[in-house]
Amino acid sequence: MRHRPHLPSYKAVAAVLVAASLVLAGCSGGDDEATPAGDEPSEPTASETSEPPEPTYWPLTGLERTSKAPKHPVIVTKVDNTSSSAPQVGLGTADLVVEELVEGGYTRLAAFYYSKVPASIGPVRSMRASDIGIVPDGATVVTSGAAPVTINRINGAGIPWITEGDAGVYRETTRSAPYNLFARLGDIAKRLKAEDEPPPYLPWGTPADLPRGGKARTLTADFGAHSTSWQFQKGGYVNTDSYAAQGDQFPADSILVLRVKVGDAGYRDPAGYPVPETKLEGKGAALLFHGGRVIRGTWSKDGLKGAIELSTKDGELTVPAGHVWMELVPAVNGNVTFAK
């Protein structure tokens, strides 16, 4: 009978393996634990080593942006500013508003929209040659039209515009003409595309950047037949003679008054009044109202398409980021008063 070879027991094999592992551990040169396979230290990713992205700011308010820039351009809408316009719709959503002189000593508003767009705005009225210096490059104007001489100048300045007959512009049947033209800016914005984001409209800063100035809790900008008054309340400025709908007033954080030269646009309106042309270029006196105080300074603008710059005798003047109402008050035949 053949004998089967002798095989070591399970316990013996285990003992040999344990002994071998102890010998190998002793030859490792240290007592650090080995790194498990697949857990080797990895290089930090770009997101872990890069700095957080630089903040971006809205060009018409200077406020920090938490969302992407819209695909549409700045939309400037010309809005009537007489008692016949009441109630004005859509001003509460505007980023910035410019008040300009028109014929007869009355005013018209250029309401700027970019960060937000209202569903509707109106009453929409006509353009003036003054708008060439007011409307920023790349913006589109919503208007009821203009005199032929003005249209030629607006077209020559390369400013696109939308008027009655275009999609989104309609007549409100509950109002009488010419104060019944309105625009659905939300719909209009969807079909407009912008190649570039506009530059800052004003030199933006913070309240801490401002000189102390003097106390001024009320102010009135007088254009002749019309005046606009403001009162500082609860950290902002309230238009006390506004034609805006209840709850739809422009939320002004600052009022910027620029004293401007006014010329003759070269024609008369249907009522026979000569049409004025605000010259938003060159330089003049400026008053910045913020926080219940006023800072005196000067403004300058290199040509109609130049950037607005502000200064005091001590240097550059910036506007605290927020919603600004600009009053373009004639240097001659206009007036600005304010009180504590």
Side-chain angles (χ1 to χ4, degrees):
M1 178 180 291
R2 296 181 60 184
H3 295 278
R4 298 169 57 188
H6 177 73
L7 297 177
S9 67
Y10 171 81
K11 291 184 178 179
V13 172
V16 171
L17 292 175
V18 170
S21 65
L22 291 174
V23 171
L24 291 174
C27 296
S28 65
D31 53 6
D32 292 337
E33 293 184 2
T35 302
D39 290 343
E40 291 83 2
S42 59
E43 292 295 326
T45 63
S47 62
E48 292 171 335
T49 59
S50 61
E51 295 293 328
E54 289 291 326
T56 58
Y57 302 90
W58 290 109
L60 301 182
T61 63
L63 296 170
E64 186 172 348
R65 188 165 57 206
T66 57
S67 60
K68 293 182 179 180
K71 295 180 180 179
H72 62 76
V74 171
I75 303 174
V76 178
T77 305
K78 299 304 301 293
V79 179
D80 189 85
N81 198 40
T82 66
S83 58
S84 298
S85 69
Q88 297 162 330
V89 175
L91 290 184
T93 315
D95 285 327
L96 180 145
V97 173
V98 178
E99 184 171 8
E100 59 185 285
L101 179 70
V102 291
E103 54 274 15
Y106 292 94
T107 65
R108 191 150 294 171
L109 306 180
F112 289 53
Y113 298 90
Y114 189 60
S115 67
K116 296 180 181 179
V117 177
S120 294
I121 183 171
V124 176
R125 296 302 305 274
S126 58
M127 300 178 288
R128 296 292 184 273
S130 305
D131 296 321
I132 296 172
I134 294 171
V135 175
D137 280 339
T140 294
V141 178
V142 176
T143 174
S144 65
V149 62
T150 300
I151 289 176
N152 289 338
R153 292 186 61 186
I154 293 290
N155 289 340
I159 301 174
W161 48 283
I162 292 171
T163 189
E164 188 172 10
D166 293 321
V169 184
Y170 66 99
R171 292 284 175 177
E172 174 56 65
T173 58
T174 61
R175 302 195 186 203
S176 59
Y179 309 102
N180 63 344
L181 190 66
F182 280 70
R184 296 185 180 91
L185 285 198
D187 293 342
I188 291 172
K190 291 177 182 177
R191 68 174 193 269
L192 297 178
K193 302 298 179 185
E195 295 182 1
D196 301 303
E197 186 173 5
Y201 193 79
L202 291 170
W204 300 111
T206 69
D209 300 328
L210 294 180
R212 180 166 176 77
K215 292 182 179 180
R217 299 186 68 86
T218 63
L219 69 126
T220 297
D222 188 355
F223 292 82
H226 173 83
S227 60
T228 299
S229 297
W230 299 90
Q231 190 173 88
F232 183 67
Q233 298 178 9
K234 299 179 180 180
Y237 289 85
V238 175
N239 184 348
T240 56
D241 46 19
S242 173
Y243 301 121
Q246 184 69 29
D248 201 12
Q249 289 194 7
F250 179 74
D253 297 303
S254 301
I255 309 298
L256 177 61
V257 178
L258 305 183
R259 303 303 301 271
V260 295
K261 294 179 181 179
V262 177
D264 190 336
Y267 65 99
R268 293 176 179 268
D269 73 354
Y273 290 104
V275 177
E277 181 180 349
T278 294
K279 306 286 189 178
L280 191 54
E281 61 180 337
K283 60 182 179 180
L287 295 169
L288 174 59
F289 295 86
H290 182 83
R293 307 187 73 84
V294 59
I295 296 92
R296 298 177 182 270
T298 58
W299 67 271
S300 63
K301 193 166 178 281
D302 185 11
L304 292 175
K305 290 302 181 182
I308 297 173
E309 297 181 355
L310 303 171
S311 62
T312 67
K313 62 181 180 179
D314 297 321
E316 180 186 15
L317 175 63
T318 59
V319 180
H323 293 85
V324 178
W325 183 292
M326 291 177 56
E327 303 278 16
L328 302 185
V329 180
V332 179
N333 300 325
N335 194 27
V336 181
T337 57
F338 53 89
K340 298 180 180 180

